[in-house]
Amino acid sequence: MTLNESKIALGGGCHWCTEAVFQSLQGVIKVEQGHVASIGDNRSFSEAVIVYFNSEEIAVTTLIEIHLHTHKSTSNHSMRNKYRSAVYTFSEVQKQEVEQIIAIFQKLSEKKLVTQVIPFQTFKASRDEITNYYFNNPKKPFCESFINPKLKLLLNQFSSAVNPEKLKHLK
């Protein structure tokens, strides 16, 4: 990683959706799709992505705000083991920063956020056949039904963070 390159892992919904959302942003260098495990009660694997980003081009606050808006961050639904709502951190400093960011967004939210801030422990990458899923299959029914609405939300609410080349087909 370069001086301005950082990484953070995010989980919440289907990793195909999460991957497409973060691949669409300016300042994001790479997104790895797969399953992340933490420690303690969160040591089981859950769908997530690791986002590598240039911190001078996109702030971690923006990444977290987008994450909270593009999955059910206020719902403790029955699939939370498979789709843990989490920000996985890579250091104690990053953990403290993310906890402060989540606390700010909690004050702005009418509902309780269920998103956890937990340490990154290990990662299992997805099979090559399903990585870059959206951009390899934008016309598949799953993409049109579940991913396109999230990408349209990005365009409407976070247009300044979107890489216009990535989503020009949605305009």
Side-chain angles (χ1 to χ4, degrees):
M1 287 198 305
T2 63
L3 185 60
N4 298 324
E5 188 176 324
S6 298
K7 66 181 177 177
I8 197 157
L10 305 165
C14 166
H15 50 39
W16 293 348
C17 296
T18 311
E19 176 189 54
V21 165
F22 290 96
Q23 283 177 328
S24 301
L25 301 176
Q26 294 185 76
V28 170
I29 299 160
K30 174 175 78 168
V31 178
E32 291 182 316
Q33 178 207 115
H35 296 82
V36 172
S38 183
I39 58 174
D41 291 344
N42 299 303
R43 68 183 172 277
S44 62
F45 282 97
S46 184
E47 291 191 20
V49 297
I50 301 174
V51 178
Y52 297 81
F53 62 101
N54 181 327
S55 58
E56 287 191 351
E57 292 182 43
I58 190 163
V60 70
T61 302
T62 303
L63 294 172
I64 297 203
E65 182 177 16
I66 288 169
H67 181 54
L68 294 174
H69 282 86
T70 55
H71 81 283
K72 293 180 179 174
S73 61
T74 60
S75 173
N76 238 340
H77 55 73
S78 63
M79 296 295 288
R80 274 293 170 225
N81 286 338
K82 182 177 180 180
Y83 304 120
R84 185 180 301 125
S85 180
V87 178
Y88 301 90
T89 58
F90 289 89
S91 70
E92 186 59 32
V93 170
Q94 188 180 52
K95 179 181 182 278
Q96 291 172 7
E97 178 184 15
V98 171
E99 285 173 340
Q100 290 173 351
I101 293 166
I102 297 276
I104 290 166
F105 287 121
Q106 180 58 72
K107 287 178 184 173
L108 300 172
S109 177
E110 294 178 10
K111 296 181 180 178
K112 170 109 176 77
L113 296 172
V114 299
T115 306
Q116 303 172 72
V117 181
I118 51 180
F120 175 91
Q121 186 68 28
T122 189
F123 178 73
K124 287 193 310 190
S126 293
R127 303 180 320 273
D128 285 342
E129 306 88 64
I130 64 168
T131 60
N132 198 29
Y133 188 80
Y134 177 80
F135 289 103
N136 287 336
N137 306 284
K139 295 293 181 194
K140 290 231 174 176
F142 181 89
C143 295
E144 291 186 342
S145 296
F146 296 102
I147 301 176
N148 277 347
K150 293 173 191 265
L151 298 179
K152 288 176 183 171
L153 180 141
L154 269 185
L155 285 170
N156 291 332
Q157 293 185 21
F158 301 97
S159 60
S160 64
V162 172
N163 178 337
E165 286 302 306
K166 291 282 190 167
L167 300 183
K168 62 184 175 191
H169 64 284
L170 290 176
K171 292 184 178 179

